[in-house]
Amino acid sequence: MYTGATTVVRTVYGNSNGLEVKVGMHQGSALSPLLFVIVIEALSREYRVTLPWELLHADDLVVIAETKDDLIKTLNEWKDNMDNKGMKVNMNKTKVENGSNTGCCKTAM
């Protein structure tokens, strides 16, 4: 999305040399969150199911499933579809929680 983008690290001693940004969204622009939501909405439209099973909020995804196997299947589908479109799901930030009464599972990325 940002070809040739660079950034610097600002410290009390001054700025570092420029670093090339190869992955991620530019954090300084007010338009970045909106652009991200527009892109994710368009990329996920063809395989996304309806509320309340999958909720998108900013750069987070919440998936609700009735069983752990269904949850894993849905997460893998999201990951594979995003990978195929050049986006990455950070599985290291994935959390699984069990519902109290229903036994459902959810995850936030």
Side-chain angles (χ1 to χ4, degrees), residues 49-67:
V49 296
T50 59
L51 293 171
W53 303 107
E54 297 171 355
L55 305 170
L56 287 168
H57 177 72
D59 63 347
D60 291 328
L61 165 69
V62 176
V63 176
I64 302 170
E66 293 186 17
T67 67

Side-chain angles (χ1 to χ4, degrees), residues 72-105:
I72 292 169
K73 178 181 176 232
T74 303
L75 283 175
N76 286 330
E77 288 172 359
W78 267 91
K79 184 179 181 319
D80 293 343
N81 283 312
M82 288 288 109
D83 285 346
N84 289 338
K85 297 185 181 339
M87 302 287 284
K88 294 190 187 297
V89 174
N90 187 345
M91 298 305 278
N92 292 328
K93 292 173 62 177
T94 299
K95 299 174 189 162
V96 176
E97 298 177 16
N98 290 323
S100 58
N101 295 332
T102 62
C104 76
C105 303

Side-chain angles (χ1 to χ4, degrees), residues 2 4 25 36 38 44-45 80 84 86 91 99 104 106:
Y2 300 102
M25 295 290 292
F36 184 82
I38 290 169
S44 65
R45 184 171 288 154
D80 293 343
N84 289 338
M91 298 305 278
C104 76
K106 70 178 180 179

Side-chain angles (χ1 to χ4, degrees), residues 4-19:
T6 60
T7 190
V8 297
V9 177
R10 187 173 295 159
T11 70
V12 295
Y13 302 106
N15 293 344
S16 70
N17 293 330
L19 305 167

